[in-house]
Amino acid sequence: MRSEEVTKGYQRAPNRSLLRSLGLTRAEMERPFIGVANAFNTIVPGHVHLRSLAERVREGVAAGGGVAFEFGVIGICDGIAMGHQGMRYSLPSRENIADSIELMAEAHRFDGLVCIGTCDKIVPGMLQAAVRCNIPTVILTGGPMLPGFLGGEELSLIDVFEGVGKVAGGTMTEEALNELECCAMPGCGSCQGLYTANTMACVTEALGMSLPYCAATPAVDAAKLRLARKTGERVVALVKDGITPRKIVNARGIRNAIRVDMALGGSTNTVLHLLALAAEAGVPLTLEDFARIGAGIPHLSFMQPAGPHSMLALHRAGGIPAVLSRLKGELEENPTVSGRSIRTIAGKGTVRDEEVIRPVKNPVFPAGGLRILRGTLAPDGAVVKASGVDPSMWKHQGPARVFDGEDAAMDAILSRRIAEGEVVVLRYEGPRGGPGMPEMLSPTSALMGLGYRKVALVTDGRFSGGTRGPCIGHVAPEAAVGGPIALVRNGDEIRIDIGRGTMDLNVPAKELATRRKAWKPKGKKLTGVLARYARSAGQANTGAVPE
């Protein structure tokens, strides 16, 4: 055990003395040391309840024969950070989280880890830390929030975001929006639909890094406390058996995770995070892998925000094991932290609602919910949540309306200066140009709320998992490094074909060459974290991993 480097031999008497000051007994120093990385805080709704889960994890660790040491991890709420400068700090936090867990685990020679988190960048950062440290680890995701309720209808956060557009368009009063605001989010947990937090929870379970049923079990369900207890017990067993993350997070496991992501029609952010995780694990993975796998996996669950079903509905329908059961023939055998193989878990999964988790022969769409686009506007790729796009907009051709930043675009949208048929190009919001590749939920929700149906939005930034509509993100190369998106001008024709996976700027090559000679990168005055991130961030097609 690694902890013996701290506890064994007369030379370690000073180390043991410090451990004794914590109240540890000599017998406890003989047991596995388990670090409990807890992202609890009182600003993020998805994390405010994690203290109670950590208590059950510690009990489980003790019952399993280990000793738990809890430490804190930061967590940013993307919803609260949305629409202002705060959103630029969200993606950079992923690397901070991974680094902080590595620092604690390696410095204190933990034998295993339990990582407790819920929201968008926290769980990806924890997964990266797990494969980096490569000591036995279980991820415990905190669970989704229950739906809100008003006027006989279930609500989620996206209803509030889209309500802003409705008020701007005159179809909703501010009083009605206030009532919606007060009812939409009834308590703790991650936002109710298949947005990034919940998609990453589903991906983590499909990857085999959390226990079965963890992803969809609601935050307030007592079953989540039982899962926390089992997680604590299970990590000690993994230490004793020598089962490390890289035995699970391999090429097979990552492909299985992509299959489940495609079947659910999850957030485009999972592409970014799985690319980063694969790089951390030393597993080759490209956008072409997502395209290839997605082409063979049907989209089975029509989840919010594009569809009607919440995470609560997915939980009641059988959770991720039920989804795995639908995909059993496509899954590659691989171990999981539960001790059971992924196919064994799939074999025991039961679909309890075929409207929520459809049969393979009756899918929402015949191919996966995420699509990769390439073309002259995005030579290195772009990503769209095809499951959230009306079929009438899978093929679109229109003039560009160009904005160098989110604020200018938002002002034009809310003042109705956007015309149906246009392609809004929102640039200089990529990993380096943003910096931090901020999410664009406010503009996309405003377009939906205002009733636009024939407007596409293209950006080198990201979209929230709550985005729906023809919104294409992760354009690479980004504008800040001179990608073609930097050369687009108002009125240029852009052609999008989601079915064929293409997105082209219909401007002659000679004209683009002339524009490139005149192009100069836009500089921003940056300090601190954002300055460091802007200097090192990679492109979206490689996971925006710092270089």
Side-chain angles (χ1 to χ4, degrees):
M1 293 192 301
R2 300 190 340 158
S3 58
E4 291 180 351
E5 298 174 39
V6 176
T7 61
K8 293 291 185 182
Y10 72 88
Q11 302 97 327
R12 295 291 176 245
N15 309 65
R16 290 194 299 270
S17 182
L18 288 165
L19 291 170
R20 288 181 185 278
S21 76
L22 302 175
L24 261 66
T25 66
R26 191 69 181 87
E28 285 177 310
M29 294 186 202
E30 302 290 331
R31 300 171 187 169
F33 281 10
I34 307 299
V36 179
N38 187 1
F40 162 81
N41 60 50
T42 60
I43 183 62
V44 183
H47 289 188
V48 72
H49 64 300
L50 298 186
R51 181 179 286 167
S52 61
L53 295 184
E55 290 174 359
R56 293 294 284 162
V57 167
R58 293 198 305 270
E59 291 172 8
V61 169
V67 182
F69 298 91
E70 186 178 350
F71 60 93
V73 175
I74 67 165
I76 290 173
C77 177
D78 281 17
I80 296 174
M82 194 74 67
H84 52 80
Q85 289 298 310
M87 177 43 64
R88 304 189 188 283
Y89 290 85
S90 178
L91 184 58
S93 76
R94 183 184 69 184
E95 272 60 44
N96 178 289
I97 289 160
D99 290 349
S100 67
I101 294 173
E102 177 193 5
L103 289 167
M104 291 295 289
E106 295 298 341
H108 299 103
R109 312 311 292 157
F110 292 142
D111 301 302
L113 283 169
V114 173
C115 297
I116 310 173
T118 305
C119 293
D120 299 45
K121 309 309 163 295
I122 294 86
V123 172
M126 288 175 166
L127 285 168
Q128 287 179 232
V131 297
R132 186 185 301 175
C133 297
N134 201 35
I135 59 177
T137 303
V138 184
I139 308 293
L140 175 65
T141 51
M145 186 185 299
L146 296 179
F149 194 79
L150 178 65
E153 299 289 337
E154 288 190 348
L155 301 173
S156 74
L157 179 64
I158 305 310
D159 293 293
V160 186
F161 269 100
E162 293 187 2
V164 173
K166 291 178 180 178
V167 171
T171 60
M172 176 182 281
T173 65
E174 289 191 43
E175 291 76 14
L177 178 59
N178 180 68
E179 186 177 14
L180 186 65
E181 168 192 331
C182 294
C183 296
M185 310 295 282
C188 65
S190 48
C191 301
Q192 302 97 328
L194 194 65
Y195 317 142
T196 304
N198 288 323
T199 307
M200 280 308 306
C202 294
V203 163
T204 300
E205 186 177 329
L207 191 61
M209 286 299 292
S210 61
L211 295 181
Y213 301 100
C214 186
T217 300
V220 296
D221 196 317
K224 183 62 74 174
L225 293 170
R226 292 191 288 272
L227 281 164
R229 166 74 182 230
K230 291 177 183 176
T231 293
E233 293 180 8
R234 187 62 202 152
V235 73
V236 180
L238 293 176
V239 171
K240 293 175 180 177
D241 293 339
I243 306 299
T244 58
R246 288 180 184 240
K247 295 180 180 179
I248 296 170
V249 184
N250 51 35
R252 297 183 304 277
I254 289 174
R255 287 194 293 265
N256 285 338
I258 294 172
R259 291 180 178 106
V260 170
D261 193 7
M262 292 293 180
L264 291 171
S267 166
T268 53
N269 282 316
T270 56
V271 176
L272 201 69
H273 297 319
L274 283 173
L275 286 167
L277 178 62
E280 195 76 66
V283 174
L285 186 68
T286 67
L287 290 179
E288 280 67 33
D289 294 309
F290 286 88
R292 176 180 52 80
I293 294 170
I297 299 295
H299 176 207
L300 302 179
S301 296
F302 207 18
M303 302 289 292
Q304 295 174 355
H309 303 305
S310 66
M311 286 298 293
L312 178 62
L314 182 64
H315 168 65
R316 290 172 174 170
I320 296 305
V323 178
L324 293 172
S325 73
R326 293 292 202 212
L327 302 176
K328 188 176 180 181
E330 299 292 335
L331 298 174
E332 300 176 66
E333 192 65 295
N334 209 51
T336 75
V337 293
S338 71
R340 292 178 285 167
S341 73
I342 196 72
R343 283 185 175 173
T344 300
I345 295 170
K348 294 182 179 297
T350 301
V351 177
R352 299 189 180 94
D353 189 335
E354 294 202 344
E355 285 298 313
V356 178
I357 306 173
R358 294 191 184 186
V360 171
K361 293 183 179 180
N362 182 33
V364 181
F365 293 108
L370 298 178
R371 295 292 179 98
I372 307 301
L373 308 183
R374 286 187 184 274
T376 56
L377 186 55
D380 291 340
V383 185
V384 62
K385 184 195 284 190
S387 60
V389 182
D390 188 279
S392 67
M393 284 295 290
W394 274 44
K395 185 180 288 187
H396 181 72
Q397 185 170 317
R401 282 291 303 278
V402 183
F403 300 94
D404 291 347
E406 180 183 1
D407 291 344
M410 191 65 176
D411 181 63
I413 292 168
L414 290 178
S415 59
R416 285 190 171 275
R417 298 200 307 273
I418 304 299
E420 289 281 17
E422 291 182 328
V423 178
V424 175
V425 176
L426 211 168
R427 64 192 181 190
Y428 292 101
E429 295 289 14
R432 294 191 179 187
M437 208 179 175
E439 291 183 346
M440 304 294 163
L441 181 56
S442 294
T444 59
S445 296
L447 285 169
M448 292 295 104
L450 281 165
Y452 285 100
R453 294 295 177 263
K454 298 294 182 181
V455 173
L457 198 156
V458 176
T459 182
D460 52 8
R462 297 182 295 122
F463 290 116
S464 164
T467 294
R468 62 188 179 100
C471 303
I472 300 164
H474 303 203
V475 171
E478 64 176 299
V481 299
I485 192 172
L487 308 179
V488 182
R489 292 180 179 175
N490 285 327
D492 288 349
E493 185 180 76
I494 293 174
R495 293 178 297 192
I496 299 165
D497 192 328
I498 294 175
R500 293 181 59 193
T502 60
M503 184 169 65
D504 292 299
L505 176 61
N506 191 21
V507 175
K510 185 176 181 180
E511 169 62 19
L512 289 179
T514 300
R515 293 182 189 180
R516 182 169 296 283
K517 290 179 181 178
W519 176 80
K520 294 181 180 179
K522 292 182 178 291
K524 292 183 178 180
K525 187 176 181 180
L526 301 169
T527 59
V529 170
L530 293 184
R532 292 196 300 272
Y533 189 81
R535 287 194 296 267
S536 64
Q539 292 299 288
N541 63 304
T542 59
V545 177
E547 297 172 347

